[in-house]
Amino acid sequence: MALKESLWGLLFSDFITIGIIIATAFAPRLSVFTRKILFNSALYSTSVALLYYLGSNGPGLLYLLAITIFILLSLDKRFGYVAVALNTIICIGFCIAIYYGFASPVLLNEYQFDSWIGVSSNLIFLSAVSALLIPRLFNGLQSAIDKQNHLGEELEKSVTDLNAKNKELEQFTYTISHDLKEPLRMVHSFMKLLKNKYRKQLDEKAHEYIYYAMDGAQRMQANIDDLLEYSRIGRKYTSVEHTDLNALLDIAIQNLQADIQEQQTNITPADLPTLNVVPVALKILFQNLLSNALKYQQDDNQPNIEISAEEESTSWLFSFSDNGIGIDPEYHEQIFSIFKRLHPREEIPGNGMGLAICKKIVEQHGGKIWVESKSQQGSTFYFTISKHYFDKNDEKRGKNHLQD
Ligand code: ADP
């Protein structure tokens, strides 16, 4: 346009601006700050030239406002005030030029002294408002983004810490359980020696004490074995396979066959899916739930166990229902803790680890477990198994597997 209208001054200014921008972009060793200052200065010279040669027909005034905003976004907010001051100086310069009649013919044609004051004060006002408000607006946005990033980082750190602590705790449980086994085995075997070797010398009371000591050692042995089993889940049982869960349920039922037959149990299995799971762990889960359903029954009650499986969007929902003694709602959460029992061992055998193990297995598969039940009205244990948990965690699991 400058060429067509023979506005050589404008053309010259355009070339200078483009030259400065190219030189700024390619000059080595220039700091970013210097580049920004040079770039904005080039834009200033263009807007003055545009204003001079084109007046209101060109984008000169608009450029001045745009540069103010650009400066506010690219430099410190103090430079915004510098931009307002520069705009004011430019407007005053043009005001004097119009007043004394040495402005360009376009400007002189377009503006009287008063009308220029009106237009330019509008520009200065808008620049000042931008200089005041834009930093506030962006500071608010920036601090919201910073806060969110900070929270995200904190969360990630907490999850990493928690995972590390869990691993440490598992390792601790494993080592302690392992180390306790040997002295316990000694207590048990020396008690046995004492009982056998001094059978005749010992009176009935001494035999009774030995019995209790051996029984205690045996129970502690069972507890330690369960703790070891508990710490192994997720440590040792890590190999995931695409498994037909019906086959695992069959094995679990087979393992409990003696009790099932003795109690004339009625089991209604569901058609279970084939999923990516840790097969050993899932078999233990099924077996623990079935064994509890058989164990927690009124005397002479014929156990009735119903199994169901329902597909949901991201997981499968399973349930094991029984017609047993039920669980008071106040204990629905506690029963999943380690060593939590609701019955004396003499009444119903067990050591309170079965459901804790179930919970750990379900969580290992990205799911949840809970119970719905009322005292004397049977119980239904629900759990979910995530469909794609191991797809997402493949890489992570691979690492764990190597550590194991
Ligand atoms: P354990 O059977 O060795 O005691 P669990 O962790 O398997 O350990 O169960 C914890 C407690 O939950 C049991 O002591 C029992 O009181 C209760 N419980 C578990 N399953 C059932 C069930 N199917 N019906 C009634 N109570 C149950």
Side-chain angles (χ1 to χ4, degrees):
M1 183 199 166
L3 198 61
K4 208 171 127 217
E5 303 284 328
S6 303
L7 299 171
W8 307 118
L10 183 59
L11 193 65
F12 178 70
S13 148
D14 281 350
F15 275 119
I16 295 284
T17 305
I18 293 169
I20 292 176
I21 291 175
I22 292 174
T24 312
F26 291 103
R29 287 200 292 273
L30 272 188
S31 69
V32 177
F33 177 75
T34 318
R35 283 173 207 271
K36 285 178 183 174
I37 295 288
L38 284 173
F39 179 70
N40 285 312
S41 310
L43 289 186
Y44 260 117
S45 74
T46 310
S47 31
V48 171
L50 281 168
L51 204 54
Y52 183 83
Y53 285 103
L54 301 177
S56 299
N57 296 326
L61 281 172
L62 202 67
Y63 264 42
L64 287 178
L65 182 64
I67 299 168
T68 313
I69 295 173
F70 188 76
I71 285 178
L72 284 164
L73 296 181
S74 61
L75 291 162
D76 189 275
K77 69 175 179 196
R78 282 169 299 156
F79 286 91
Y81 301 120
V82 176
V84 177
L86 278 175
N87 288 352
T88 313
I89 291 169
I90 291 168
C91 286
I92 292 174
F94 276 105
C95 186
I96 294 168
I98 289 169
Y99 186 76
Y100 288 106
F102 55 79
S104 63
V106 182
L107 273 178
L108 289 175
N109 224 0
E110 259 181 312
Y111 294 107
Q112 303 296 315
F113 176 71
D114 321 354
S115 57
W116 175 254
I117 296 231
V119 169
S120 56
S121 52
N122 197 21
L123 168 78
I124 295 165
F125 174 72
L126 283 176
S127 313
V129 169
S130 308
L132 281 174
L133 294 188
I134 287 182
R136 280 174 192 273
L137 174 71
F138 283 92
N139 276 352
L141 281 178
Q142 191 59 46
S143 65
I145 292 170
D146 286 351
K147 216 171 177 178
Q148 201 169 351
N149 285 344
H150 184 65
L151 279 179
E153 278 166 20
E154 291 251 297
L155 190 68
E156 211 170 292
K157 190 172 169 298
S158 306
V159 170
T160 318
D161 285 354
L162 197 66
N163 282 342
K165 285 268 174 291
N166 270 346
K167 271 220 150 319
E168 215 175 276
L169 202 64
E170 255 170 28
Q171 186 63 42
F172 177 75
T173 317
Y174 181 79
T175 319
I176 290 286
S177 321
H178 209 265
D179 293 353
L180 279 180
K181 280 185 89 155
E182 184 48 31
L184 199 63
R185 201 186 57 78
M186 277 178 68
V187 171
H188 191 263
S189 49
F190 278 100
M191 278 292 163
K192 201 168 167 189
L193 272 179
L194 182 69
K195 185 178 116 183
N196 292 342
K197 220 167 171 187
Y198 300 95
R199 181 181 298 274
K200 294 202 178 101
Q201 284 102 309
L202 295 172
D203 63 7
E204 208 171 306
K205 207 74 191 156
H207 275 290
E208 194 187 337
Y209 293 157
I210 289 174
Y211 166 79
Y212 283 128
M214 284 175 72
D215 183 53
Q218 237 159 5
R219 275 197 279 131
M220 194 154 166
Q221 177 77 47
N223 285 352
I224 289 173
D225 284 344
D226 279 331
L227 260 185
L228 269 174
E229 186 66 27
Y230 182 77
S231 77
R232 264 187 202 125
I233 296 161
R235 255 176 55 84
K236 194 150 179 257
Y237 302 147
T238 52
S239 68
V240 177
E241 280 166 37
H242 200 54
T243 317
D244 178 4
L245 299 190
N246 294 299
L248 292 184
L249 182 65
D250 283 348
I251 300 174
I253 292 176
Q254 210 52 47
N255 290 348
L256 297 167
Q257 202 53 44
D259 288 337
I260 290 172
Q261 273 177 0
E262 190 188 324
Q263 292 176 260
Q264 300 179 339
T265 310
N266 197 6
I267 298 183
T268 318
D271 186 18
L272 302 184
T274 298
L275 293 175
N276 278 344
V277 293
V278 180
V280 202
L282 261 266
K283 191 215 72 190
I284 296 174
L285 169 69
F286 291 165
Q287 202 164 310
N288 283 357
L289 291 177
L290 285 173
S291 129
N292 280 351
L294 292 168
K295 200 160 64 164
Y296 295 103
Q297 292 281 342
Q298 276 106 350
D299 289 342
D300 304 327
N301 195 27
Q302 185 182 353
N304 202 356
I305 304 173
E306 276 179 38
I307 299 160
S308 83
E310 214 177 283
E311 185 167 10
E312 296 186 326
S313 58
T314 56
S315 56
W316 276 82
L317 172 66
F318 299 85
S319 74
F320 280 59
S321 299
D322 63 56
N323 56 341
I325 58 174
I327 306 161
D328 197 291
E330 110 179 65
Y331 300 112
H332 284 185
E333 297 226 343
Q334 295 179 26
I335 52 170
F336 295 99
S337 312
I338 53 178
F339 295 129
K340 180 68 193 174
R341 303 210 68 221
L342 305 181
H343 304 275
R345 203 177 305 274
E346 299 71 41
E347 250 175 51
I348 307 177
N351 59 5
M353 283 299 286
L355 288 179
I357 289 176
C358 290
K359 184 166 186 258
K360 201 168 172 192
I361 291 172
V362 169
E363 285 171 357
Q364 186 198 10
H365 289 78
K368 279 186 186 157
I369 185 166
W370 67 99
V371 66
E372 282 178 12
S373 170
K374 279 188 189 144
S375 192
Q376 307 305 325
Q377 293 183 26
S379 313
T380 304
F381 283 86
Y382 292 95
F383 62 91
T384 55
I385 298 286
S386 166
K387 281 190 213 164
H388 305 293
Y389 186 67
F390 288 115
D391 309 347
K392 277 185 274 164
N393 288 284
D394 255 0
E395 204 187 314
K396 209 168 85 197
R397 221 173 32 72
K399 277 189 212 145
N400 290 345
H401 196 62
L402 287 179
Q403 282 161 12
D404 290 325

